[in-house]
Amino acid sequence: MDLERAKEVCRGFPGATEDIKWTNVLAFCVGGKMFALCGAEAHSTRGMSFKVDAERFLELTDRPGIRPAPYLARARWVHIASPDALGDAEMAALLHRSYRLIVSRLTKKLQLTLENP
């Protein structure tokens, strides 16, 4: 999946917001917590990082084009360096799972507002 399509997927999640962090990183957040990161430049080639389930972390990082995300690997984040490392459907599913993992750690009140806007 190309980076622009991945950004569109992230923008489509309920309550998702965008913020620039560390001067040049575009962070997708929900409830103030990050669920995906990528380069803030218009045509960045830096790839995308996001959270994955602990049991999928090693499996994903064994694939070509996917590695532990710098500074966030201990929290089970992966970095997708190559747009062809994952198919569109799998990438969209992983981004949705990252979003759901972060939502699950929000307060119940905030979770309810996301489910019933």
Side-chain angles (χ1 to χ4, degrees):
M1 175 180 285
D2 72 10
L3 189 57
E4 291 307 311
R5 175 72 184 117
K7 289 179 186 179
E8 288 303 314
V9 169
C10 291
R11 291 177 181 126
F13 298 135
T17 60
E18 297 176 46
D19 188 20
I20 301 293
K21 307 260 188 210
W22 309 292
T23 310
N24 61 350
V25 176
L26 178 60
F28 291 94
C29 304
V30 60
K33 300 191 181 293
M34 300 182 302
F35 68 89
L37 302 169
C38 63
E41 302 86 22
H43 297 288
S44 176
T45 58
R46 293 165 61 192
M48 182 172 257
S49 298
F50 50 87
K51 186 166 183 63
V52 296
D53 290 296
E55 57 272 6
R56 298 259 353 243
F57 182 78
L58 289 176
E59 172 221 329
L60 288 168
T61 55
D62 279 345
R63 292 188 191 180
I66 304 174
R67 60 185 171 94
Y71 309 107
L72 294 168
R74 67 179 181 180
R76 304 299 189 259
W77 280 59
V78 295
H79 178 77
I80 310 301
S82 171
D84 58 351
L86 296 168
D88 289 0
E90 186 177 17
M91 180 74 165
L94 287 169
L95 289 170
H96 185 257
R97 183 63 184 149
S98 177
Y99 168 82
R100 295 301 315 159
L101 287 168
I102 300 305
V103 166
S104 72
R105 300 185 74 202
L106 300 175
T107 65
K108 295 295 179 195
K109 182 178 179 179
L110 188 50
Q111 288 179 30
L112 285 172
T113 63
L114 293 171
E115 292 171 5
N116 304 311

